[in-house]
Amino acid sequence: MNSQQSSIQGQLRRFEALCRDQGLPVTVQRRTVLETVLGRDDHPTADQIYEDVVARVAGISRTTVYRVLDMLVRFGMITKACHPGAMARFDGNTERHHHLVCLRCDRVIDLVDERLDALELPDTGHLDFEITDLRVQLYGVCANCRNEATASKPVTDETGAVLNPKKREKN
Ligand SMILES: [Zn+2]
Ligand SMILES: [Zn+2]
């Protein structure tokens, strides 16, 4: 068992204990949804989680998966990683961390950075807003998207002539 698998086992045990405390049954559905989120580090959407779960638990409905996700967030087993302008993304990593968000493919990559953790919080009293957590999202372009861009995008000069033809006629 590798370290990721053993930490998933630990989280599942924590979840079972929480359910016992609340008098809730640990159903196969609940376990499988949690295991799926913990097993992925790509911050999947609810629909992506549903696709994974339905492959393992035949007949589970989308609504059930959504409800279990909400329950897991309430229990603090997973978090909702905000993603403005798109569907909510779920995160099995509840340790303090930040996110690199690719503007082209919506990939969300975990970033651990002590200096960001230590950012001084602004005074938001005048906005009547109480800050309870700090998470920084940095936007940019991931390596995959940058490589794709340089591989396929022709560079043109001001007249539109292609300066980097893909194939050369002569060697
Ligand atoms: Zn990307
Ligand atoms: Zn994350």
Side-chain angles (χ1 to χ4, degrees):
M1 192 181 278
N2 65 33
S3 67
Q4 198 212 8
Q5 281 169 327
S6 67
S7 95
I8 290 178
Q9 291 308 315
Q11 293 290 78
L12 286 170
R13 277 196 298 276
R14 192 158 78 86
F15 177 61
E16 283 161 12
L18 274 169
C19 285
R20 263 199 311 276
D21 288 351
Q22 309 269 329
L24 293 165
V26 184
T27 58
V28 177
Q29 284 95 329
R30 288 175 180 160
R31 262 189 81 98
T32 310
V33 172
L34 177 57
E35 238 177 309
T36 302
V37 181
L38 296 176
R40 294 177 61 147
D41 65 356
D42 61 342
H43 307 82
T45 64
D47 284 333
Q48 289 169 329
I49 295 161
Y50 166 75
E51 298 299 333
D52 275 8
V53 171
V54 80
R56 294 173 60 193
V57 183
I60 190 169
S61 75
R62 216 171 271 270
T63 316
T64 302
V65 171
Y66 289 13
R67 281 210 196 106
V68 174
L69 285 169
D70 280 340
M71 171 203 186
L72 294 172
V73 170
R74 269 202 319 279
F75 278 21
M77 296 300 308
I78 63 174
T79 62
K80 238 181 212 180
C82 250
H83 199 244
M87 278 175 287
R89 305 277 289 262
F90 293 88
D91 197 338
N93 180 359
T94 52
E95 302 288 311
R96 164 144 297 169
H97 68 284
H98 308 280
H99 286 143
L100 303 175
V101 180
C102 178
L103 290 166
R104 295 202 191 140
C105 69
D106 291 342
R107 207 168 146 208
V108 180
I109 301 163
D110 284 344
L111 170 73
V112 174
D113 187 295
E114 283 175 12
R115 283 173 313 166
L116 293 181
D117 296 348
L119 276 180
E120 201 181 315
L121 297 177
D123 180 1
T124 52
H126 63 296
L127 297 167
D128 197 18
F129 189 90
E130 187 194 332
I131 295 173
T132 57
D133 195 12
L134 165 78
R135 186 173 298 169
V136 177
Q137 298 198 155
L138 299 162
Y139 294 90
V141 184
C142 77
N144 283 353
C145 292
R146 280 201 321 276
N147 290 341
E148 251 170 52
T150 46
S152 60
K153 205 174 171 191
V155 176
T156 53
D157 66 12
E158 60 284 355
T159 68
V162 178
L163 299 174
N164 63 335
K166 251 185 176 174
K167 282 184 196 160
R168 286 175 194 264
E169 299 303 320
K170 275 166 50 176
N171 44 328

